[in-house]
Amino acid sequence: MAEPLFQLNNVTYHYPTGETALEGIDLSIYKGEKVALLGANGSGKSTLLKILDGLLFPQSGSLIAFGETVSEQTLGNEAFSFAFRRRVGFVFQNSDAQLFNSSVWDEIAFGPVQLGLEREEVVSRVEGVIAMLELDHLKNRPPFKLSGGEKKKVAIASVLSINPMVLLFDEPTSGLDPRTQRWLVNLIRTLNDAGKTIITATHDLEIVDQIADRAVVLGEDHRIAATGAVEEVLGDMDLLLRVNLIDEEFHRHLHGDGHKHVHAHG
Ligand code: ADP
Ligand code: MG
């Protein structure tokens, strides 16, 4: 098998407050995969994404990305950091944490400008992403005055303009209306079809089979409870119950009534 893009070896992360977020994580992500990171609130999904993005560094264990060790030390090297940052894009759960420019156009141009691209290339990237995400009517607006759904689109645009090969999404559908959720699910599929590797943290089980082929499940003990094909993981009710992704009531309902309600909201 090809070498993984990301390889986590026995990764443990504790916050400075002493809070454990990840414990003994072994995980490989391959090029072109779309992976869902599942787990109850507080299981460690966001922390894992931050480690994959080189924003946090494990106290023990290691992360190898694109064949090289990612650490505070290696990311301190400007050339390494530059190469890493243009390969990995992170769409935060909270768009406000990602938007700080005075116009949508400048927001989307920020990454390409930081990469030192020629003005012409910057313009062509920004216009390309604006066309793809249908943001033309917003391009002169200040991002902080947009609706939640519009902010999410601009945050995604600001990441796509860097043209990373890996995209990390943290709870991307949370707080979005159904039409924008649908748009986002379709976008993830389109990007994956175009060859992007996509890792999405979510506890929204409804979207998982549409945005992922493989699921990685974190338990409340901050360890990997299971990893496997999405259908397999979503079909394992005892696992979902154990990791607190479904509750007792839902579980009983399913077992009592057969599976007729499982896809009721699809
Ligand atoms: P998830 O994204 O699955 O909800 P997180 O990765 O945010 O989980 O959190 C994992 C654990 O780390 C939780 O117990 C959480 O309370 C703790 N945690 C998260 N962020 C911080 C932080 N900035 N400081 C201290 N503890 C944190
Ligand atoms: Mg989270």
Side-chain angles (χ1 to χ4, degrees), residues 13-22 37-50 56 93 170-171 201-203 218-220 222:
Y13 186 85
H14 308 281
Y15 282 95
T17 49
E19 203 80 46
T20 295
L22 295 170
L37 200 51
L38 307 179
N41 282 327
S43 57
K45 303 180 297 296
S46 296
T47 305
L48 184 47
L49 290 183
K50 285 173 190 163
L56 297 175
Q93 175 169 11
D170 198 357
E171 306 280 359
T202 185
H203 60 254
L218 285 172
E220 292 184 294
H222 312 289

Side-chain angles (χ1 to χ4, degrees), residues 9 32 48 52 66 89 104-105 108 140 206 218 234 249 257:
N9 301 305
L48 184 47
L52 291 174
F66 317 106
V104 166
W105 205 97
I108 302 171
N140 298 317
E206 304 254 328
L218 285 172
L234 290 186
E249 190 63 35
D257 282 3

Side-chain angles (χ1 to χ4, degrees), residues 17-124:
T17 49
E19 203 80 46
T20 295
L22 295 170
E23 197 72 62
I25 304 293
D26 288 313
L27 179 63
S28 295
I29 308 275
Y30 294 88
K31 189 172 190 317
E33 274 200 294
K34 50 184 198 299
V35 177
L37 200 51
L38 307 179
N41 282 327
S43 57
K45 303 180 297 296
S46 296
T47 305
L48 184 47
L49 290 183
K50 285 173 190 163
I51 284 177
L52 291 174
D53 196 42
L55 297 174
L56 297 175
F57 304 99
Q59 281 89 10
S60 66
S62 63
L63 166 63
I64 298 169
F66 317 106
E68 300 191 65
T69 299
V70 178
S71 64
E72 201 157 9
Q73 196 183 0
T74 57
L75 271 181
N77 176 296
E78 207 174 316
F80 181 86
S81 162
F82 188 82
F84 183 81
R85 298 272 162 238
R86 70 186 301 169
R87 281 171 159 168
V88 186
F90 193 163
V91 178
F92 294 119
Q93 175 169 11
N94 173 10
S95 305
D96 287 317
Q98 196 144 17
L99 303 170
F100 49 88
N101 283 275
S102 57
S103 76
V104 166
W105 205 97
D106 287 348
E107 195 69 65
I108 302 171
F110 185 83
V113 167
Q114 291 302 106
L115 289 180
L117 301 178
E118 300 282 343
R119 180 73 192 164
E120 226 172 280
E121 174 65 12
V122 171
V123 171
S124 121

